[in-house]
């Protein structure tokens, strides 16, 4: 369009509304909802696969210790009366398994649940599990044991309760003994099946007619030592009638039993020790099977990985919580990243590329990794990638394939490099493979000083050293890497030159500076021209081969285009959710209750009059100094509450303190004192001291 104007200027011509292609709000909402539903389905399917793999892995890790405990229980039940186990025991000794699980207490529940199920299925139906918080006194412990074994209500020596519940029984081990005798007689009187020989009949008698009564103490350290001592002493008196067996769950050390029980009580136990895998070994296996594999497309970047490992090492040593952190990262990734719809298997990801909407394609164009990719292309290709949606989809499919190839080659090369460096003294690249993985996630590993020192050490290896270290590593179950080249069995040594520079220098009686300099130059030249042995040639070839693999296949994930599709990088979100800050959360709830209760939200930002009493008291106490007058505080509280109740400010009863308001205020003050915001002071009897300053 041409224009004519006396003065120079800029003119803007808006396109016709007929040519403008806009997406309606309804269509955008529908596409967004469909994308969210697909992402949720992908996230759910991926987590189910990770969860199933985790459960199988944990079963494999606990299999050895659980099988040992099952063998112990079966041995106790079959050899109690007339075999080797009985010869080791006195008449009143109780077979006891001391199971040392470590300080990763959150993981113990899963182990004990598996043990409980296995014992019930394979050894005995009479299994009960008790915890310290349920057994503060001896009566509660007995009651919990009887209720768990007999499946009936146990009275507390209350005649009225006995009359109301005819199925209730007295809380004593004699009741349990009578019940067990009746139970075994009923089982033995059942109609037998086909005939068995003498040995099978004897085994059937012990396994099925007199099964042991197993009591599992989940957290031995938490029990009151006096309660435990009394319970063991009572149980030892019934051992001839009740085939009891204990399992102690210990988190710290086996010496805990000796510290909690005097010799007179511990001598009543025939203890066998069982040690589970350490939590660090468990974590190493989980990382190796779940994270360091191309099986699952979802990945963690270096910072998120470091946060999860730090929480594990410095907080609870819980593998279960580590997996929860992995689940949290997975949910956050699929919730916050629209392109996570491509974080799935290769075929499904390629199909989902064709389903990307215009908004999703614009998100692809704004990714930092894609912008770097576009900048490397030619001008014509750049225009197509930024304007042509179909061409962009084709490019995305190719980039997704490249990302999958990167993952398939990354982990084998990572393991190869770790295998090589783990043979070195001082382990310059880390003892655990996760440490090497973190280095590779942060930057180019071949630029790391530790990597360069590791390669220098490898270059200094001699034939005998390599053979010795490889032999030791393979004997420990390590990975052995073979290369096509081979060293000849016999290496011919070159005869030493008679006219070597060193010998000539030694033969000269007098040496001047010029002659010394000349001799040193000859020595340097002879070292350079010295022929390398076949082993040195092979060693250099291997080092160059490994260095080439590392340079080609171990660049950091950020160097890959569209890595944002699979990698979750918000470490701050993970830290905020997993590292609890109770003080900040409490102050937020008290100062801004609308953060948790949306019904209390006020447009002017003030606390609603209908807020909980403790919130009103907390807000008022923030307006006071170091010492708070309780009477003034009470009057201010009564005024706010009266306004919340809708009283007329001009009436005589407005703001007056009655018994109900006074009781509510005292309860709020007590709660604030319990939370640590105030404390009583001796300076003034009608004042309390404020312990915090400022709001949230």
């Amino acid at each position: 369009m041409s224009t004519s104007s006396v003065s120079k200027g800029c003119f803007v011509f808006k396109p016709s509304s007929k040519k403008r292609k806009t997406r309606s709000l309804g269509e955008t909402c529908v596409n967004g909802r469909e994308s969210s539903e697909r992402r949720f389905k992908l996230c759910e399917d991926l987590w189910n696969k990770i969860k199933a793999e985790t459960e199988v892995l944990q079963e494999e890790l606990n299999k050895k210790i659980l099988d040992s405990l099952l063998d112990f229980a079966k041995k106790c039940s079959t050899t109690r009366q007339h075999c080797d186990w009985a010869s080791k025991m006195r008449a009143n000794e109780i077979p006891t398994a001391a199971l040392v699980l470590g300080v990763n207490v959150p993981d113990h529940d899963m182990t004990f649940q598996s043990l409980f199920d296995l014992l019930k299925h394979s050894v005995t139906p009479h299994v009960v599990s008790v915890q310290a918080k349920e057994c503060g006194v001896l009566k509660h412990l007995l009651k919990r044991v009887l209720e768990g074994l007999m499946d009936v209500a146990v009275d507390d020596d209350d005649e009225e309760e006995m009359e109301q519940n005819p199925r209730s029984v007295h809380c004593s081990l004699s009741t349990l003994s009578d019940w067990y005798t009746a139970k075994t007689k009923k089982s033995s009187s059942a109609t037998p099946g086909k005939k068995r020989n003498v040995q099978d009949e004897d085994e059937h008698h012990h396994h099925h007619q007199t099964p042991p009564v197993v009591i599992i103490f989940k957290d031995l350290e938490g029990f009151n030592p006096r309660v435990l001592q009394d319970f063991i002493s009572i149980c030892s008196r019934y051992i001839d009638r009740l085939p009891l067996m204990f399992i102690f769950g210990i988190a710290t050390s086996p010496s805990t039993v000796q510290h909690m029980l005097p010799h007179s009580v511990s001598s009543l136990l025939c203890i066998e020790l069982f040690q589970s895998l350490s939590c660090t070994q468990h974590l190493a296996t989980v990382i190796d099977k779940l994270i360091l594999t191309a099986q699952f497309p979802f990945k963690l970047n270096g910072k998120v990985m470091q946060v999860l490992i730090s929480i594990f090492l410095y907080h609870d040593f819980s593998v279960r919580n580590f997996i929860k952190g992995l689940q949290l990262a997975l949910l956050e990734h699929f919730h916050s990243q629209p392109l996570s719809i491509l974080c799935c298997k290769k075929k499904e990801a390629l199909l989902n590329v064709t389903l990307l909407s215009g908004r999703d394609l614009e998100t692809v164009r704004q990714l930092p990794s894609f912008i770097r990719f576009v900048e490397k292309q030619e001008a014509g290709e750049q225009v197509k990638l930024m304007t042509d949606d179909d061409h962009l989809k084709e490019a995305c499919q190719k980039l997704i394939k490249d990302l999958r190839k990167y993952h398939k080659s990354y982990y084998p090369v990572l393991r190869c490099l770790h295998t090589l460096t783990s043979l070195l003294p001082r382990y310059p690249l880390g003892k655990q493979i996760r440490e090497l993985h973190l280095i590779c996630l942060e930057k180019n590993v071949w630029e790391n000083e530790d990597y360069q020192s590791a390669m220098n050490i490898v270059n200094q290896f001699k034939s005998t050293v390599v053979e010795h270290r490889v032999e030791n590593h393979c004997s420990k179950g390590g990975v052995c890497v073979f290369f096509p080249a081979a060293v000849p069995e016999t290496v011919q040594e070159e005869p030493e030159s008679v006219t070597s520079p060193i010998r000539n220098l030694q033969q000269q009686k007098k040496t001047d500076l010029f002659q010394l300099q000349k001799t040193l130059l000859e020595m340097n030249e002879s070292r350079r021209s010295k022929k390398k042995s076949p082993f040195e040639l092979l060693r250099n070839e291997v080092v160059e081969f490994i260095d080439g693999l590392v340079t080609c296949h171990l660049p950091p994930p950020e160097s890959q285009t569209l890595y944002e599709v699979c990698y979750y990088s918000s470490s701050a979100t993970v830290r905020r959710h997993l590292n609890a800050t109770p003080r900040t959360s409490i102050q937020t709830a008290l100062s801004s209750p609308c953060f948790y209760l949306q019904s209390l939200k006020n447009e002017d930002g003030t606390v609603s009059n209908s807020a909980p009493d403790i919130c009103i008291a907390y807000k008022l106490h923030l307006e006071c100094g170091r010492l708070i007058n309780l009477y003034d505080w009470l009057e201010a509280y009564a005024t706010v509450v009266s306004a919340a109740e809708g009283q007329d400010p001009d009436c005589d009863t407005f703001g007056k303190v009655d018994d109900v308001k006074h009781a509510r205020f005292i309860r709020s003050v007590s709660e604030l004192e319990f939370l640590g915001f105030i404390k009583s002071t001796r300076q003034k009897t009608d004042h309390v001291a404020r312990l915090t300053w400022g709001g949230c």
Side-chain angles (χ1 to χ4, degrees):
M1 184 182 295
S2 61
T3 60
S4 60
S5 176
V6 177
S7 61
K8 296 181 179 179
C10 297
F11 300 89
V12 178
F13 300 97
K14 296 183 179 181
S16 174
S17 59
K18 296 181 180 179
K19 298 180 180 179
R20 195 183 309 166
K21 295 181 180 180
T22 58
R23 191 182 299 272
S24 65
L25 180 62
E27 185 179 356
T28 303
C29 294
V30 170
N31 291 337
R33 184 170 63 252
E34 291 178 354
S35 176
S36 299
E37 291 176 354
R38 288 201 302 269
R39 279 187 283 146
F40 176 77
K41 185 67 169 59
L42 287 174
C43 178
E44 189 177 28
D45 293 342
L46 183 57
W47 172 245
N48 289 335
K49 294 176 182 177
I50 295 177
K51 183 180 178 182
E53 186 71 19
T54 303
E55 292 175 352
V56 172
L57 179 61
Q58 290 176 336
E59 289 179 0
E60 293 176 355
L61 291 172
N62 292 328
K63 186 178 186 303
K64 185 176 180 180
I65 187 69
L66 293 178
D67 289 346
S68 301
L69 286 169
L70 284 180
D71 293 341
F72 172 78
K74 292 176 181 178
K75 179 178 65 174
C76 294
S77 62
T78 57
T79 63
R80 178 179 294 272
Q81 297 180 2
H82 56 276
C83 210
D84 295 337
W85 178 263
S87 64
K88 299 178 183 178
M89 297 169 49
R90 295 185 302 178
N92 58 346
E93 279 187 343
I94 304 172
T96 304
L99 178 58
V100 182
L101 293 174
V103 295
N104 50 328
V105 178
D107 299 340
H108 294 179
D109 290 338
M110 186 178 300
T111 304
F112 281 119
Q113 185 61 45
S114 300
L115 177 60
F116 185 90
D117 297 337
L118 286 174
L119 287 172
K120 272 218 163 187
H121 182 264
S122 305
V123 180
T124 174
H126 312 310
V127 187
V128 63
S129 180
V130 294
Q131 288 181 287
K133 63 181 181 180
E134 303 171 348
C135 310
V137 295
L138 179 61
K139 183 170 62 176
H140 294 166
L141 177 56
L142 287 170
K143 182 177 180 180
R144 179 70 183 87
V145 170
L146 266 64
E147 288 179 346
L149 292 172
M150 302 171 61
D151 194 21
V152 294
V154 179
D155 73 293
D156 295 330
D157 297 333
D158 191 351
E159 295 181 359
E160 294 182 0
E161 185 177 350
M162 287 284 292
E163 293 177 358
Q164 294 176 0
N165 189 358
R167 293 187 70 248
S168 62
V169 297
H170 286 290
C171 185
S172 65
L173 276 185
S174 60
T175 304
L176 179 62
S177 177
D178 297 340
W179 170 85
Y180 181 81
T181 303
K183 198 81 172 175
T184 52
K185 285 183 178 179
K186 182 178 179 181
S187 176
S188 61
S189 62
T191 304
K194 61 181 181 179
K195 294 184 178 181
R196 305 178 179 87
N197 56 33
V198 177
Q199 184 178 359
D200 292 340
E201 187 66 33
D202 181 69
E203 184 178 355
H204 173 77
H205 172 75
H206 287 288
H207 275 289
H208 298 279
Q209 296 183 5
T210 59
V213 178
V214 182
I215 303 176
I216 302 175
F217 298 83
K218 285 187 175 181
D219 46 350
L220 185 70
E221 291 91 344
F223 280 85
N224 187 328
R226 188 61 188 174
V227 172
L228 202 60
Q229 294 169 22
D230 294 342
F231 181 76
I232 294 173
S233 300
I234 295 173
C235 289
S236 65
R237 301 174 185 174
Y238 289 86
I239 194 64
D240 56 336
R241 289 173 282 172
L242 272 175
L244 292 168
M245 190 184 95
F246 294 159
I247 296 179
F248 290 161
I250 301 174
T252 54
S253 171
S255 61
T256 303
V257 179
Q258 299 175 354
H259 296 157
M260 295 184 66
L261 305 177
H263 182 266
S264 58
V265 178
S266 62
S267 61
L268 301 176
L269 305 175
C270 188
I271 301 178
E272 188 168 334
L273 183 64
F274 297 87
Q275 180 77 47
S276 68
L277 281 176
S278 66
C279 51
T280 52
Q281 291 175 318
H282 197 164
L283 176 68
T285 307
V286 169
I287 291 178
D288 186 63
K289 300 295 184 181
L290 295 184
I291 296 179
L292 302 182
T293 175
Q295 179 182 0
F296 303 108
F298 174 72
K299 307 295 178 184
L300 303 175
N301 81 333
K303 292 183 179 180
V304 178
M305 186 82 171
Q306 188 63 55
V307 167
L308 295 180
I309 294 177
S310 299
I311 292 175
F312 172 85
L313 294 176
Y314 300 111
H315 286 77
D316 53 10
F317 290 100
S318 173
V319 178
R320 183 179 180 183
N321 289 345
F322 180 88
I323 296 174
K324 285 184 178 179
L326 179 63
Q327 181 186 14
L328 172 64
L330 178 70
L331 293 172
E332 285 287 338
H333 177 68
F334 277 88
H335 172 71
S336 60
Q337 177 57 267
L339 298 178
S340 59
I341 192 174
L342 307 179
C343 184
C344 50
K345 290 183 178 180
K346 179 180 176 181
K347 292 182 180 180
E348 192 173 359
L350 297 178
L351 177 62
N352 288 339
V353 169
T354 61
L355 302 177
L356 292 177
S357 62
R359 176 183 294 182
D360 294 335
L361 294 176
E362 288 301 321
T363 305
V364 171
R365 293 185 175 106
Q366 295 173 6
L367 293 177
S369 64
F370 187 79
I371 293 175
R372 293 195 300 267
F373 170 76
V374 173
E375 291 174 351
K376 298 178 183 178
Q377 307 302 315
E378 297 179 355
E381 181 68 15
Q382 291 180 359
V383 174
K384 289 183 179 180
L385 290 173
M386 301 304 292
T387 58
D388 190 345
D389 290 350
D390 294 334
H391 184 74
L392 177 59
K393 290 181 180 180
E394 293 178 0
C396 287
Q397 289 182 337
K398 182 179 181 303
L399 293 173
I400 289 294
K401 292 179 181 179
D402 294 340
L403 189 61
R404 294 295 186 271
K405 292 179 182 178
Y406 166 77
H407 286 145
K408 286 185 177 180
S409 59
Y410 175 89
Y411 297 107
V413 176
L414 180 73
R415 297 180 192 280
C416 176
L417 180 61
H418 178 258
T419 301
L420 177 65
T421 56
S422 63
L423 298 174
L424 304 179
R426 295 173 297 175
Y427 304 97
L429 287 179
K431 294 182 180 180
Q432 301 290 339
I433 192 173
R434 67 168 183 265
E435 299 173 4
L436 178 59
H437 178 57
L438 289 175
I439 295 175
C440 295
L441 289 177
E442 292 175 358
K443 59 181 181 179
N444 295 330
V445 65
W446 57 88
E447 298 176 356
N448 190 290
E449 294 181 1
D450 292 337
Y451 174 83
Q452 297 173 3
S453 64
M455 292 298 105
N456 290 334
I457 293 176
V458 173
N459 270 321
Q460 298 172 8
F461 271 178
K462 296 182 179 179
S463 178
T464 54
V465 177
V466 173
E467 291 174 1
H468 175 69
R469 294 193 180 278
V470 170
E471 182 180 356
N472 288 346
H473 188 67
C474 292
S475 64
K476 296 178 181 178
V479 180
C480 187
V481 182
F482 295 93
F483 297 94
V487 183
E489 295 182 0
T490 59
V491 179
Q492 227 176 0
E493 295 184 359
E494 296 182 358
E496 185 181 2
S497 177
V498 181
T499 61
S500 65
I502 300 179
R503 182 166 298 182
N504 292 338
L505 187 64
Q506 292 175 350
Q507 290 176 354
Q508 293 180 3
K509 297 181 179 179
K510 185 178 180 180
T511 306
D512 55 6
L513 183 60
F514 175 77
Q515 188 65 31
L516 177 62
Q517 185 178 7
K518 180 181 178 182
T519 305
L520 292 176
L521 289 174
E522 291 178 358
M523 291 172 58
N524 190 23
E525 188 67 24
S526 65
R527 286 177 181 174
R528 291 182 180 178
S529 61
K530 183 181 178 181
K531 186 178 180 180
K532 294 182 180 180
S533 66
F535 172 77
E536 290 175 340
L537 293 174
L538 176 61
R539 182 190 62 193
N540 294 343
E541 182 182 349
V542 169
V543 172
E544 292 177 1
F545 175 74
I546 293 177
D547 191 64
L549 284 178
V550 171
T551 307
C552 180
H553 298 292
L554 289 187
E558 283 79 359
S559 64
Q560 304 300 310
T561 309
L562 299 186
Y563 81 94
E564 296 92 343
V565 169
C566 298
Y567 284 83
Y568 179 70
S569 58
S570 181
S571 58
T573 303
V574 175
R575 189 185 299 275
R576 184 175 67 252
H577 284 295
L578 297 182
N579 273 357
T581 53
R583 180 185 63 83
T584 304
S585 301
I586 291 173
Q587 286 186 317
T588 302
L590 294 178
S591 60
S592 303
C594 59
F595 185 82
Y596 298 100
L597 303 175
Q598 297 297 327
S599 58
L600 301 177
K601 190 173 183 179
N602 264 355
E603 295 181 359
D604 55 357
T606 60
V607 176
S608 171
N609 294 334
S610 58
D613 293 336
I614 188 174
C615 296
I616 297 174
Y618 176 80
K619 263 291 192 184
L620 294 173
H621 111 286
L622 291 178
E623 302 173 1
C624 303
R626 188 179 66 87
L627 294 179
I628 306 175
N629 188 305
L630 285 173
Y631 184 75
D632 295 341
W633 194 5
L634 172 61
E635 285 193 329
Y637 170 82
T639 302
V640 175
V641 171
S642 298
E645 294 174 350
Q647 296 183 8
D648 186 4
D650 298 330
C651 67
D652 297 336
T653 59
F654 183 84
K656 297 297 182 181
V657 179
D658 55 15
D659 293 340
V660 176
K661 294 178 183 177
H662 186 265
R664 291 166 58 185
F665 174 75
I666 293 299
R667 183 180 62 181
S668 301
V669 172
S670 300
E671 291 173 349
L672 289 175
E673 184 177 7
F674 176 75
L675 293 174
F677 289 99
I678 59 174
K679 72 172 184 178
S680 57
T681 177
R682 295 183 180 180
Q683 296 181 7
K684 295 182 179 180
T685 56
D686 58 344
H687 285 64
V688 292
R690 181 180 171 186
L691 299 178
T692 59
W693 297 98
C696 181

